[in-house]
Amino acid sequence: MIDGVLVLAAGKSTRIEARSHGLPKPLLEVVGKPIIGHTLDWLAGYGIRAVWVNLHYKPEAIQAALGDGGQSGVAVRYSVEPEILGTAGAWKQLEREWRGTSLVVYGDNLTRFDLRRFREAHRESGAVVTAALFDPAVHVNTGIAGGYAVLDAARRVQRFVEGGAPQEGSALVDAGVYLLERAAVKWVADGYQDFGRDVLPRVAGVRALGGDVLGPEGFCLGLGSPASV
């Protein structure tokens, strides 16, 4: 069971401003609907009925597009950040809301895979955090320049590196979807914290980071550059 969900939507979209013209990335449309709207539909399809959405850049635009979430069948609550906290800082700010296992999803990626199987893999591994991973040679993707992971036979991440070229043996890429236990908060420092650059490498360093590779039907379409829009 997933006890809480955070959809990340606070970023400034600076890397694709030439295409977004100042619109927050989660509001860019795919087949007539904002990316974040597709994400809420995906979550609703797995029985999720309430989510948090964090806001910083043009919060009123995202609130106007999503409202209370009724159009997707998901109740939306907002966590506004006057100073942006980063992906992990946003999760920590809502620490009191996470009573058990929480799910974090990047709101500017169009991602699909089996969330039930992902939850089961996390539960079986006993990891404190599990990251969804894709293989760029297998899964449809837009060349996301995210974190790279090396998995062992027990599906624990031996090494996690954010950005740059893949390290030796690290063909798997962070899909921007995580399951976290409450204990993960001890690896999130105060202030601005990013999952990929700050938190996941720390958790991997103590052998508490699990990795689950998307099924062959999964995909991860991110908008990291104008060429990917």
Side-chain angles (χ1 to χ4, degrees), residues 128-198:
V128 175
V129 181
T130 298
L133 306 170
F134 71 88
D135 184 339
V138 173
H139 300 102
V140 176
N141 69 91
T142 50
I144 293 175
Y148 298 95
V150 178
L151 281 182
D152 63 18
R155 294 187 298 187
R156 290 295 175 103
V157 177
Q158 295 178 313
R159 185 170 68 254
F160 187 95
V161 179
E162 178 74 6
Q167 305 296 304
E168 183 177 353
S170 57
L172 300 174
V173 182
D174 178 12
V177 183
Y178 315 121
L179 283 166
L180 303 99
E181 300 303 316
R182 286 176 54 85
V185 74
K186 71 180 181 181
W187 285 289
V188 185
D190 293 334
Y192 186 96
Q193 288 282 280
D194 182 75
F195 275 116
R197 295 193 181 278
D198 302 311

Side-chain angles (χ1 to χ4, degrees), residues 4-7 40 43 48-53 74-78:
V5 180
L6 171 62
V7 179
L40 295 186
L43 296 174
I48 291 169
R49 294 292 173 256
V51 305
W52 283 91
V53 175
V74 177
V76 174
R77 290 183 287 176
Y78 297 99

Side-chain angles (χ1 to χ4, degrees), residues 28-188:
L28 293 176
E29 291 193 352
V30 176
V31 292
K33 178 180 287 192
I35 293 171
I36 194 169
H38 286 289
T39 296
L40 295 186
D41 291 348
W42 176 47
L43 296 174
Y46 281 92
I48 291 169
R49 294 292 173 256
V51 305
W52 283 91
V53 175
N54 77 318
L55 304 174
H56 172 73
Y57 176 65
K58 294 190 175 180
E60 68 288 344
I62 294 176
Q63 288 175 305
L66 299 183
D68 63 3
Q71 59 191 328
S72 295
V74 177
V76 174
R77 290 183 287 176
Y78 297 99
S79 175
V80 180
E81 300 172 13
E83 293 187 14
I84 196 165
L85 296 172
T87 56
W91 177 81
K92 184 175 182 178
Q93 176 164 267
L94 293 168
E95 178 185 358
R96 292 182 179 179
E97 300 295 328
W98 314 136
R99 295 177 175 82
T101 304
S102 56
L103 174 72
V104 174
V105 181
Y106 281 50
D108 56 1
N109 288 349
L110 185 61
T111 305
R112 291 292 184 277
F113 59 90
D114 188 337
L115 278 177
R116 292 189 184 92
R117 192 187 67 81
F118 182 46
R119 175 67 182 92
E120 186 64 18
H122 174 71
R123 186 190 65 80
E124 289 180 353
S125 75
V128 175
V129 181
T130 298
L133 306 170
F134 71 88
D135 184 339
V138 173
H139 300 102
V140 176
N141 69 91
T142 50
I144 293 175
Y148 298 95
V150 178
L151 281 182
D152 63 18
R155 294 187 298 187
R156 290 295 175 103
V157 177
Q158 295 178 313
R159 185 170 68 254
F160 187 95
V161 179
E162 178 74 6
Q167 305 296 304
E168 183 177 353
S170 57
L172 300 174
V173 182
D174 178 12
V177 183
Y178 315 121
L179 283 166
L180 303 99
E181 300 303 316
R182 286 176 54 85
V185 74
K186 71 180 181 181
W187 285 289
V188 185

